[in-house]
Amino acid sequence: MAGVLFLFAPLLAAYINTVDTAYVTTLTTGIAPLRFSTQLLEVFKYNILNSIYTEVLNMVYSVTAHYIMFTCMILGLAIQKSKFLETLFERKNQIKKSLFLVVSLTIVLWGVFILSNMYKLPYLQYFSFHYWIVLTTMLSTSLLIILLYINQKFKKIFKAFSWVGRMTFTNYLTQNLIAFFVFQGVGLGLFHHMPFYFYFLFAITIYVLQIGFSYWWLKNHVYGPLEWLWRQLSDTKK
């Protein structure tokens, strides 16, 4: 099923791209000043409205992007059902071949995409395969990471990633809270005021700190704090 959805993605994307979304830009521009407000409620209002305008009213996101997300979900279920992740080491040669094929396909798609846009070929308005490139790039990256893992490369790095992964919920919300008070007007208001390298180093620093925190926490606990709370709230046996 994921393959069928994958094939139809360019047709859907091309159709959605014909929908006029200029009004979304007008709406988001109208609320932009709220983003830099020093009032917490105004910033909260901006985030709510901006989410509605850019993620609900904007059909490129609400329809096309969610279609792709659904495709990825179906693909993930198929992979889980095939027990692919449980037999990685037995599939080493298969993974190598798959990586070569997917990377080759990605390069070809990029070449066709660039040339088609360069010469403004008319078929693009009926067949937009941008998300094909997104998905094949994603698969290439995933297969490369898997190959590094089964070859026992970068063991310490994968171990560090596993600590963060076991506390995904906690780390995700923590990142959002930190970013909120660093970039929004109610905090330091650094959004769009610093050079690019600052944001890059900031993200790396936060992630490294979260690796350290996750390691420290999991030495004495089975779950992260919010993971534990979620399990308590969702425990139906109580």
Side-chain angles (χ1 to χ4, degrees):
M1 183 177 179
V4 175
L5 293 172
F6 178 79
L7 292 175
F8 277 98
L11 298 173
L12 175 65
Y15 173 73
I16 295 299
N17 288 341
T18 64
V19 178
D20 184 12
T21 58
Y23 70 97
V24 175
T25 302
T26 302
L27 290 171
T28 53
T29 301
I31 63 171
L34 294 175
R35 178 175 215 163
F36 304 101
S37 172
T38 57
Q39 301 298 315
L40 182 61
L41 288 179
E42 289 189 350
V43 176
F44 182 73
K45 178 181 178 181
Y46 166 81
N47 286 325
I48 293 295
L49 291 176
N50 187 63
S51 295
I52 294 172
Y53 297 160
T54 60
E55 298 178 12
V56 179
L57 298 182
N58 181 8
M59 294 181 67
V60 172
Y61 187 89
S62 63
V63 177
T64 310
H66 280 87
Y67 177 91
I68 298 301
M69 292 178 195
F70 180 71
T71 301
C72 291
M73 185 186 75
I74 296 299
L75 176 62
L77 289 173
I79 291 174
Q80 182 186 35
K81 188 175 181 180
S82 69
K83 297 187 177 182
F84 175 79
L85 297 177
E86 298 174 16
T87 56
L88 288 179
F89 291 91
E90 292 84 355
R91 298 174 182 263
K92 184 174 180 179
N93 289 332
Q94 180 185 347
I95 291 170
K96 283 183 177 180
K97 293 177 181 178
S98 298
L99 178 60
F100 175 78
L101 290 173
V102 176
V103 169
S104 300
L105 177 59
T106 304
I107 293 172
V108 171
L109 288 173
W110 265 116
V112 174
F113 183 77
I114 291 171
L115 290 174
S116 297
N117 280 278
M118 185 184 302
Y119 292 102
K120 296 181 173 30
L121 298 182
Y123 80 87
L124 288 175
Q125 59 185 312
Y126 308 107
F127 194 83
S128 177
F129 58 93
H130 165 71
Y131 278 106
W132 276 5
I133 299 175
V134 173
L135 291 172
T136 56
T137 301
M138 176 197 71
L139 287 173
S140 298
T141 306
S142 300
L143 289 169
L144 177 60
I145 292 173
I146 290 172
L147 193 59
L148 290 173
Y149 174 75
I150 62 179
N151 282 330
Q152 300 294 292
K153 303 292 185 182
F154 309 111
K155 283 186 179 180
K156 292 183 178 179
I157 293 177
F158 280 112
K159 187 65 176 177
F161 287 165
S162 73
W163 300 328
V164 178
R166 288 173 59 188
M167 292 176 51
T168 302
F169 190 22
T170 298
N171 287 319
Y172 173 75
L173 289 183
T174 302
Q175 287 176 5
N176 278 272
L177 286 172
I178 293 173
F180 181 82
F181 288 106
V182 169
F183 299 121
Q184 300 284 15
V186 292
L188 300 177
L190 297 182
F191 182 75
H192 274 339
H193 292 298
M194 303 296 287
F196 173 78
Y197 68 82
F198 168 82
Y199 302 105
F200 180 79
L201 293 176
F202 177 81
I204 296 297
T205 301
I206 295 300
Y207 192 77
V208 170
L209 289 174
Q210 288 190 315
I211 289 176
F213 173 73
S214 298
Y215 171 71
W216 171 78
W217 182 271
L218 291 172
K219 282 198 303 183
N220 301 302
H221 303 85
V222 178
Y223 306 108
L226 292 182
E227 285 75 13
W228 175 84
L229 178 62
W230 185 260
R231 289 177 67 89
Q232 295 302 307
L233 293 175
S234 60
D235 187 357
T236 58
K237 295 181 181 179
K238 289 185 177 182

